[in-house]
Amino acid sequence: MIKVGLIGGGGIAGAHIRGYEAHAGEIAVVAVADAFEETAQRRATELGATAYTDYTAMIAAEQLDAVDICLPHHLHADAIVAAARAGLHILCEKPLCLTPGEARRVNAAVAEAGVTLMCAHNQLFMPAVAKAKELLDAGTIGPVYEVRTTDSFYNDFDPANMGWRAHTATSGGGELIDTGYHPSYLLLHLAGARPVEATAMLSTHRLKFMEGEDSAQVLVRFDNGVVGQMVTSWAYQPASSTERFSVVGELGSLTSDGTSLSYRLRDGREESFDFEPVDTFAAEIGHFAECLANGTRPLHTEDEGIQVLGLLLAAYEGAREKTIAPVLDVLN
C-alpha cells in the first residue's frame, strides 16, 4: 500500500479523493494537511486519516511514501521542494509552479532527491486523447502540421466566490494559467515536441472584477515545426461545432469532441471511435500508483510541467509586448 499525505483539502482535493477511493487496494491517503483546521478535520474524517494544519509537520510526523499537492498555485513550489527534500514522491496539481526561478528550484530538488514527480494533467487520461496519441505515434495521419485545442465554458465566478484565483499574485495570471493550462499540455502532448515560441491575445469579456484575463487565444510553434492553436475561456460556451482537439497531418486529419474520435485520410479511408465516460482523476491516481509501484515514468513529469510553464509565460509575454516571444529554457 502506497501511503500518501494530501496537502490542501480544498475543492480540487475532492476529485483526487475519488481517485484514491477507486484504487483503495493500491494507494491511500493517511494524512491531510490544510491551513484551515476545519477543512483538514473534515477531509481527515472523510478519509479516516490524521489531520494537520501544517504540511511540514505532517511530513515530519508521518511515514509517507508520497504527497498529493492540491494547494493554490503560488504555494506549489515550496511544497514540492519540502516533499522532495524529505524523499517523498509527488503528485502536483496544475500548474507545476509560476516562475522560472521556481521551476529551477523544483527541478533541482526533484533531481537531487531522485524522487518521482507526476504533474496532475488529468485530461491526458481521456480515452479520446489516449487513442489520438496512439494513432499519431503509429503515423496514421503522417507527419503532423497543426494541432488545435479548446477548453472553454461559462464560469459563474463572482467576487464572493473566486477567492485567490481573482489575483495575479496568487494565481500567476488569469484564466490562461488556470483552465488554459489543460489545453496547453494537450497541445504539447499531441504535438510530441517542445514549444519554442508563442504569442497570445488575452481578453476580459465578462469577469471584469478579475485582475487577469478571462479568455485567451494562443499560437505556439514547436521544435518539430508543428504549429499549435489554443482557445480557452471562462466567459462563454464555445460554438457547438467547436472541436475539443484536432490534428492535421500530411496524410489526413483527426478530430474529437472529447467523447468520440474520428480520422479521415486523403485516400478516403476513415474510422470513428466512441468511448465510455471515464473519471480522469481516478485514472490519474491509478497511473500515479502504478508508476510508483513499478518505478516507471509518469506520462508527464516536472519536465513537461516546466515546458508548459515556458509556453504560457511566452504567451503572456507575447500578449504584453505584442510580439512572438521565445520559450525560454529556464533550466540553462
Side-chain angles (χ1 to χ4, degrees), residues 32-110:
V32 180
D34 193 281
F36 294 96
E37 185 173 4
E38 180 181 351
T39 301
Q41 291 290 351
R42 175 171 55 84
R43 291 298 194 189
T45 299
E46 180 181 357
L47 290 157
T50 305
Y52 294 84
T53 55
D54 181 343
Y55 67 76
T56 60
M58 178 186 74
I59 288 171
E62 297 285 336
Q63 296 297 309
L64 301 174
D65 300 303
V67 297
D68 182 345
I69 299 170
C70 293
L71 294 169
H73 300 172
H74 67 299
L75 302 176
H76 287 185
D78 285 347
I80 292 169
V81 171
R85 287 177 175 169
L88 301 178
H89 303 296
I90 301 153
L91 177 66
C92 185
E93 258 300 333
K94 53 83 181 167
L96 179 68
C97 55
L98 297 182
T99 68
E102 287 185 350
R104 286 189 288 271
R105 286 178 57 220
V106 163
N107 188 72
V110 171

Side-chain angles (χ1 to χ4, degrees), residues 38 173 182 194 207 234:
E38 180 181 351
H182 292 295
R194 303 179 74 91
L207 305 180
W234 284 335

Side-chain angles (χ1 to χ4, degrees), residues 117-142:
L117 186 151
M118 174 174 157
C119 290
H121 295 174
N122 66 294
Q123 291 187 12
L124 297 182
F125 299 95
M126 295 165 57
V129 172
K131 186 63 179 179
K133 186 64 172 171
E134 176 189 320
L135 293 169
L136 294 173
D137 289 347
T140 303
I141 66 169

Side-chain angles (χ1 to χ4, degrees), residues 188-204:
L188 188 87
H189 189 60
L190 297 172
R194 303 179 74 91
V196 293
E197 57 184 4
T199 193
M201 287 192 175
L202 308 180
S203 306
T204 303

